[in-house]
Amino acid sequence: MATLVPSRPVPVATTPGVRWAAVRHLGPNWYASVMGTAIVANAGATLPVDVPGLRTVCTAVWALSLAMLLTLLTARALHWTHHRDQARAHLLDPAMAPFYGCLAMALLAVGGGTVIVGRNWIGLPAAVAVDAVLFTTGTVIGLAAAVAVPYLMVTRHRIEGASPVWLLPVVAPMVSAALGPLLLPHLPAGQAQQTFLLACHAMFGISLLATLVMLPLVFGRLVTAGPLPLALTPTLFLVLGPLGQSTTAANKFADAAATGVLPAPYAHAFSAFAVLYGVPVTGFALLWLVLAGALVLRARRRGMGFAMTFWAFTFPVGTCVTGAEGLAEHTGLVAFRWLAIGLYVCLVAAWLMAGTHTVRGLFSGALLAGPRPVTAGR
């Protein structure tokens, strides 16, 4: 989900005197492709429908996301080693710095997928070990980004208007909250499990309240300044991330509490909260989905071409899929089952579109070229 569009294709081979020139403009926004791939696996594996071979396909997609994560971590390490000036510039760029939240979410999404589907190939003990490492690392980075990026926004960045990408660092703790319960059964019963579950609930609160602070600014910017520049219009889908992920987290808390981790009164409260919170938030998510979709169609008619911002169509929609899956389980309503299936079809279509264009852009060199400023086309 880049906020900059390459001006023209250029070869990605290194130029004389410049080491690893191909990764010079490789920003943290590239982690969005890992997130978008992992959510296809995670959401597909828990769909409330029996499709022969679907779990195997989802496991293969998870393996792809793991390979993408390892490749990107290596490339980003080279970026920081050989292009520190550019790396520092990304931190000081208000359009790029929020994407450091994507690093945390990529680690968390792939880690969660390891337990959900990866265990089919590597076994449960190895899956739990991998997820524990990725979850811990991703959570620490996510909490750090949730503080550091807003701090930079206040002290160093010069911001002209609110942007949906502001949500990226503050939604990372919500991803930890939603995926943390996967590790709960593998912790010692009693204090350890209770502390971990309530810590996930605390991260739910961190992210939710921060989102409630920023979301009015984003909508206010749209109303007062008009539509986003064409290439940035897909970032409107980022608003779906905290909505769908918080609904998913609420359902996961209810599932965990029902296993006896917490005393009965709290278990019943979590079950009620999952529905009482999840249903209205899902309703608002669908409202925003229609609004954002209409603005994307408008931008498309005005000449919006492919940019890495297209990955905004994947992970946020995927969180709405998992949220609808949880509501289908806790309410028993067929409507939520069909909602999850319909959104998943949209997710897969968006993933194939973004993935195809990204691979094409990598081979042509266009996506690794130096960026040019986004035009303010309306």
Side-chain angles (χ1 to χ4, degrees), residues 9-77:
V10 298
V12 299
T14 57
T15 56
V18 181
R19 300 188 63 186
W20 298 102
V23 300
R24 176 166 178 78
H25 300 289
L26 187 73
N29 54 304
W30 278 79
Y31 287 110
S33 62
V34 178
M35 296 160 51
T37 302
I39 198 68
V40 171
N42 298 354
T46 52
L47 273 178
V49 61
D50 185 17
V51 178
L54 177 60
R55 190 170 182 86
T56 301
V57 172
C58 289
T59 307
V61 174
W62 162 80
L64 174 61
S65 71
L66 177 60
M68 292 170 63
L69 176 63
L70 295 176
T71 301
L72 193 52
L73 287 172
T74 302
R76 286 286 295 163

Side-chain angles (χ1 to χ4, degrees), residues 143 173 177 196-209 253:
L143 290 172
F196 187 75
L197 179 58
L198 292 182
C200 289
H201 197 214
M203 289 189 286
F204 173 94
I206 291 171
S207 182
L208 177 62
L209 294 177
F253 296 156

Side-chain angles (χ1 to χ4, degrees), residues 60-284:
V61 174
W62 162 80
L64 174 61
S65 71
L66 177 60
M68 292 170 63
L69 176 63
L70 295 176
T71 301
L72 193 52
L73 287 172
T74 302
R76 286 286 295 163
L78 292 171
H79 173 84
W80 270 95
T81 300
H82 299 288
H83 302 286
R84 292 182 183 178
D85 62 322
Q86 187 72 4
R88 287 192 295 267
H90 285 164
L91 280 173
L92 298 178
D93 182 355
M96 188 62 74
F99 285 95
Y100 273 92
C102 291
L103 166 59
M105 290 186 280
L107 294 168
L108 292 165
V110 174
T114 306
V115 173
I116 296 172
V117 291
R119 63 182 181 179
N120 296 340
W121 288 0
I122 67 175
L124 183 59
V128 171
V130 171
D131 187 25
V133 172
L134 294 180
F135 176 84
T136 302
T137 306
T139 298
V140 170
I141 294 174
L143 290 172
V147 175
V149 174
Y151 175 83
L152 290 173
M153 290 169 63
V154 172
T155 61
R156 301 294 298 274
H157 295 166
R158 295 297 175 263
I159 298 171
E160 297 181 357
S163 168
V165 301
W166 288 9
L167 295 169
L168 289 171
V170 299
V171 77
M174 188 67 79
V175 180
S176 293
L179 293 175
L182 291 172
L183 292 171
L184 203 60
H186 309 286
L187 294 174
Q191 287 282 324
Q193 288 187 340
Q194 292 176 2
T195 301
F196 187 75
L197 179 58
L198 292 182
C200 289
H201 197 214
M203 289 189 286
F204 173 94
I206 291 171
S207 182
L208 177 62
L209 294 177
T211 298
L212 293 177
V213 169
M214 292 190 175
L215 188 53
L217 301 177
V218 173
F219 185 71
R221 181 255 180 263
L222 293 175
V223 172
T224 58
L228 295 175
L230 297 182
L232 301 185
T233 304
T235 63
L236 290 170
F237 275 70
L238 295 177
V239 174
L240 298 175
L243 302 176
Q245 198 67 279
S246 62
T247 301
T248 302
N251 283 286
K252 296 301 181 183
F253 296 156
D255 293 339
T259 63
V261 173
L262 297 175
Y266 298 106
H268 295 318
F270 270 115
S271 295
F273 179 73
V275 176
L276 295 177
Y277 173 86
V279 172
V281 170
T282 298
F284 179 70

